[in-house]
């Protein structure tokens, strides 16, 4: 299972598009605040989507934290299997 984050790094889901070459870090936390997954992506001007593999996550509620030079944003993710 993959989570597609579309954008321009997607209004309402993830930070606004940063400068080309900016690094976007995505961290996924469970309901009690433990980090369960982390990945970093280098953004390019033509990019407007991320593909995050969530197949290893159990069903439940998680929080995605997006962090780049443009700021930090957290969104809720519910995994249903």
């Amino acid at each position: 299972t993959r989570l597609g984050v579309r954008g321009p790094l997607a209004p309402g889901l993830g930070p606004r598009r940063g400068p080309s070459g900016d690094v976007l870090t995505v961290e996924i936390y469970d309901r009690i605040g433990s980090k369960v997954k982390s990945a970093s992506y280098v953004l390019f001007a033509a990019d407007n989507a991320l593909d995050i593999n969530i197949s290893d996550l159990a069903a439940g509620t998680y929080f995605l934290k997006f962090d780049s030079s443009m700021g930090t944003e957290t969104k809720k993710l519910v995994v249903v299997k």
Side-chain angles (χ1 to χ4, degrees):
T1 306
R2 301 186 81 74
L3 171 66
V5 179
R6 305 281 174 236
L9 279 172
L13 186 62
R16 299 149 303 284
R17 180 185 299 278
S20 187
D22 193 13
V23 175
L24 172 69
T25 301
V26 180
E27 296 173 334
I28 301 177
Y29 294 87
D30 63 16
R31 289 185 314 151
I32 62 171
S34 298
K35 188 188 311 182
V36 295
K37 186 179 271 284
S38 180
S40 294
Y41 303 87
V42 177
L43 302 178
F44 296 99
D47 286 347
N48 68 350
L50 297 176
D51 199 25
I52 303 169
N53 185 349
I54 59 169
S55 62
D56 56 335
L57 297 181
T61 301
Y62 298 88
F63 296 91
L64 285 86
K65 178 182 172 190
F66 299 89
D67 188 34
S68 75
S69 68
M70 297 293 293
T72 300
E73 187 171 342
T74 303
K75 293 292 178 182
K76 183 173 154 181
L77 168 69
V78 178
V79 175
V80 179
K81 293 191 174 191

